[in-house]
Amino acid sequence: MFGNDADFILSIHRTHAAELRAEAAVDRLARALPRRTTRAWLSRRNHPVRTGDARR
């Protein structure tokens, strides 16, 4: 498959470089998309409940 060690090393380098480019693209996409808001049933906003709210 590989003629010599240099071809093998070059193949590993190219594979690693491709993985790094893919990870960078995923990070860019994650930063470009808006963050999802937390919504509960029927698309109502889900507000965090405080412990004192249950007694009122």
Side-chain angles (χ1 to χ4, degrees), residues 12-29:
I12 291 175
H13 170 72
R14 287 179 179 154
T15 302
H16 185 63
E19 290 173 356
L20 291 176
R21 280 194 299 272
E23 287 177 8
V26 167
D27 289 343
R28 257 193 269 65
L29 180 62

Side-chain angles (χ1 to χ4, degrees), residues 4 7-8 11-12 20 25 28-29 32 38-39 54:
N4 56 28
D7 291 339
F8 177 68
S11 165
I12 291 175
L20 291 176
R28 257 193 269 65
L29 180 62
T38 346
R39 291 185 182 262

Side-chain angles (χ1 to χ4, degrees), residues 18-50:
E19 290 173 356
L20 291 176
R21 280 194 299 272
E23 287 177 8
V26 167
D27 289 343
R28 257 193 269 65
L29 180 62
R31 284 193 305 269
L33 294 175
R35 293 190 185 268
R36 293 184 59 150
T37 57
T38 346
R39 291 185 182 262
W41 187 64
L42 289 179
S43 297
R44 294 182 180 163
R45 289 195 184 272
N46 190 8
H47 297 291
V49 178
R50 293 183 299 226

